[in-house]
Amino acid sequence: MAGMGFDAHISQVFAHGKTRGFITYIKSSFKEVINYKSHEYTIEIDGKTYKRTAFMLSFANSSQFGNNAHVSPYASVQDGLIDVCVIKPFPLWRFIEMGIRMFTKTAEGSKYVEIIRGKHIVVTRDSDGPLHLDGEPETAGERVEISVLPQSLKIIVGDSFK
């Protein structure tokens, strides 16, 4: 899971906080959402270009952020695709609903959520900005490239592994 937009912003805020935990994350989200502005993105997915204004963009190879929150309930580590989840700007009064949708695996049913699947993704934005990689904050440039690398993870299991 990786992302740009609000979740990346919260990841940075959370990383610089003095306390950790789910409650701190929720408190930070409520505090920050009031002034957060959506961004413009050009997203190229397998050669097709989309222009979107997004509250956040999530790149999901699995369905879960953590703490049982699902931004893309049908994302699979086995299908060879990245789910590009475009969370469109929504009225502030729907913030709690959007959160509930993530915890009830119904995000995809919202008119504010668009999911486009692909193997090669290039995102362009107006300037450098925050990005999170599995919740860890980073700063990335104007252009970010994401690709699926099938069968690239080697796992050693069994009695002979030491």
Side-chain angles (χ1 to χ4, degrees):
M1 187 70 69
M4 300 174 150
F6 185 70
D7 58 339
H9 173 73
I10 291 300
S11 179
Q12 283 187 329
V13 169
F14 187 74
H16 293 96
K18 293 180 176 138
T19 57
R20 308 293 285 172
F22 183 68
I23 296 299
T24 302
Y25 189 86
I26 295 297
K27 285 180 182 178
S28 297
S29 295
F30 276 102
K31 181 180 174 193
E32 295 293 321
V33 73
I34 293 167
N35 295 313
Y36 186 79
K37 303 290 182 229
S38 296
H39 297 278
E40 300 290 325
Y41 299 94
T42 300
I43 310 161
E44 185 180 306
I45 302 172
D46 295 338
K48 185 172 180 183
T49 302
Y50 304 82
K51 292 199 180 285
R52 297 291 188 268
T53 301
F55 176 72
M56 67 187 219
L57 287 178
S58 292
F59 309 100
N61 193 27
S62 65
S63 67
Q64 190 179 155
F65 270 122
N67 290 307
N68 216 24
H70 297 262
V71 70
S72 186
Y74 302 107
S76 170
V77 295
Q78 297 177 4
D79 66 4
L81 300 171
I82 298 290
D83 286 23
V84 179
C85 309
V86 181
I87 311 300
K88 301 171 187 175
F90 52 84
L92 185 58
W93 61 271
R94 288 193 177 252
F95 185 63
I96 293 173
E97 172 196 340
M98 297 302 285
I100 290 170
R101 283 184 171 278
M102 286 180 33
F103 288 100
T104 58
K105 299 182 184 180
T106 59
E108 220 168 348
S110 170
K111 68 180 181 179
Y112 300 107
V113 176
E114 176 183 16
I115 297 177
I116 310 162
R117 294 172 175 92
K119 292 182 179 188
H120 185 84
I121 297 104
V122 178
V123 178
T124 308
R125 54 188 171 179
D126 292 337
S127 62
D128 295 359
L131 170 82
H132 81 83
L133 302 170
D134 199 26
E136 297 300 320
E138 301 285 337
T139 299
E142 295 173 12
R143 185 177 187 277
V144 175
E145 191 169 344
I146 301 160
S147 293
V148 175
L149 301 174
Q151 300 177 355
S152 61
L153 181 62
K154 306 285 186 220
I155 300 174
I156 301 171
V157 297
D159 294 336
S160 62
F161 176 70
K162 297 187 192 259

